[in-house]
Amino acid sequence: MTTAADDSASLIAQAKRLRRAVLEMIAAVGTGHPGSSLSMVEILTVLYYAVLRHRPGEPEWPLRDRFLLSKGHGAPALYATLIDLGVLALETATLLRQLGSPLQGHPDRRFTPGLEISAGSLGQGLSMGLGMALAARRLEQTWRVYVLLGDGECQEGQVWEAAMAAGHHRLHRLCAIVDCNGFQHDGAVEDILDLEPLAAKWRAFGWRTVEVDGHDCAVLARTLRTVGEGERPVAVLARTVKGKGVAFMEGRSDWHSVADADQLARYVEELGRA
């Protein structure tokens, strides 16, 4: 865990800084996934500044809690966090999705410090988190494993195979956080393949399931700190807003990727003058 104060006001201010960094990073290259990145900013803020046991100066510290970004297209938010913590160099912020850059469009742990997994093909992160939680048990270690998924990603069958196995093995130090922003690349989740009742599904697989406001830092911190208590894995359904914080992006699937690079650049320029 970092030394940053974890009170609500501090976390809210930190989330605001990271949200701006995400926008600047994507606007600099005119490509990326802003809607999906912005919906998860508070989740990352709470994890990295209030919950995770980790050492930014030693990203491979063996006793660290593990964070896995399964919805890899949200990488700009994770990169902004790692840059802010000093895990990644500040100058890499302008290199998103560039050839040879450590900040690829989807995370690649071969080239980027601070990543637990490479991601991009959806539906696989929870299975990898399951393996890490099983390894912790076998090695008699106490690290916790947090996996961030998208709600559209939960349409993948592999997610539910992992959920079933984790419930069966009662991996109580494993947490699945679902960024429930209601939209995926092609439209609303409920129109493409409805997941509801989502909470009931996780409970049916043996998970302790909690639904929270995914932009409420205090509630997120209180909830995510309970991972490891009890005897069951934890599913946190974080109800969020796609494109949170930018009015013309909020609740729109066309901003899953950059819909208008010029509009985004103008908005970021206006932020810089504010």
Side-chain angles (χ1 to χ4, degrees):
M1 190 181 300
T2 69
T3 58
D6 59 5
D7 62 280
S8 295
S10 175
L11 291 171
I12 291 168
Q14 181 63 33
K16 183 176 180 180
R17 289 190 290 270
L18 290 179
R19 183 165 275 113
R20 180 167 180 162
V22 167
L23 290 167
E24 291 172 344
M25 185 183 301
I26 296 175
V29 293
T31 180
H33 293 84
S36 303
S37 297
L38 295 176
S39 64
M40 58 188 263
V41 167
E42 281 78 12
I43 297 170
L44 290 185
T45 299
V46 169
L47 281 170
Y48 276 93
Y49 296 89
V51 174
L52 290 179
R53 180 176 56 180
H54 68 112
R55 295 177 178 176
E58 191 181 349
E60 297 296 321
W61 179 45
L63 300 182
R64 70 191 181 279
D65 289 331
R66 272 64 172 170
F67 170 71
L68 285 65
L69 180 62
S70 188
K71 49 169 283 185
H73 51 284
L78 180 55
Y79 295 153
T81 303
L82 295 176
I83 289 170
D84 183 72
L85 289 168
V87 178
L88 299 178
L90 178 61
E91 55 267 25
T92 61
T94 59
L95 301 176
L96 179 68
R97 299 172 73 95
Q98 301 303 295
L99 185 65
S101 166
L103 307 190
Q104 289 301 298
H106 294 84
D108 191 328
R109 75 178 311 272
R110 295 174 300 172
F111 311 118
T112 310
L115 302 181
E116 299 293 347
I117 62 170
S118 300
S121 181
L122 294 176
Q124 299 180 3
L126 190 59
S127 295
M128 289 186 269
L130 165 73
M132 292 180 187
L134 283 169
R137 174 176 289 176
R138 174 161 292 192
L139 295 172
E140 298 183 348
Q141 297 296 322
T142 60
W143 69 65
R144 297 170 295 182
V145 182
Y146 295 84
V147 182
L148 180 56
L149 308 98
D151 47 359
E153 181 180 5
C154 290
Q155 295 162 349
E156 296 275 1
Q158 186 172 339
V159 170
W160 300 105
E161 292 180 43
M164 178 169 55
H168 173 78
H169 291 290
R170 304 181 78 82
L171 296 175
H172 65 293
R173 291 194 175 92
L174 175 63
C175 176
I177 308 167
V178 184
D179 180 7
C180 297
N181 62 39
F183 290 89
Q184 55 195 101
H185 185 277
D186 294 325
V189 172
E190 64 180 357
D191 294 334
I192 294 170
L193 189 60
D194 195 6
L195 294 165
E196 299 298 343
L198 186 56
K201 289 180 172 68
W202 286 96
R203 291 190 184 103
F205 282 98
W207 291 60
R208 175 164 62 89
T209 305
V210 186
E211 295 189 68
V212 301
D213 178 345
H215 301 299
D216 188 323
C217 291
V219 171
L220 281 168
R222 192 161 56 245
T223 301
L224 294 173
R225 286 182 180 132
T226 68
V227 173
E229 300 175 1
E231 297 182 349
R232 293 184 291 165
V234 181
V236 177
L237 307 187
R239 302 295 179 178
T240 62
V241 177
K242 189 91 164 182
K244 175 69 173 178
V246 183
F248 61 82
M249 291 186 192
E250 289 190 350
R252 290 178 52 177
S253 62
D254 57 335
W255 278 97
H256 179 88
S257 301
V258 174
D260 186 330
D262 291 336
Q263 183 183 20
L264 177 57
R266 288 194 301 272
Y267 179 78
V268 169
E269 185 179 351
E270 290 170 4
L271 281 179
R273 295 196 297 265

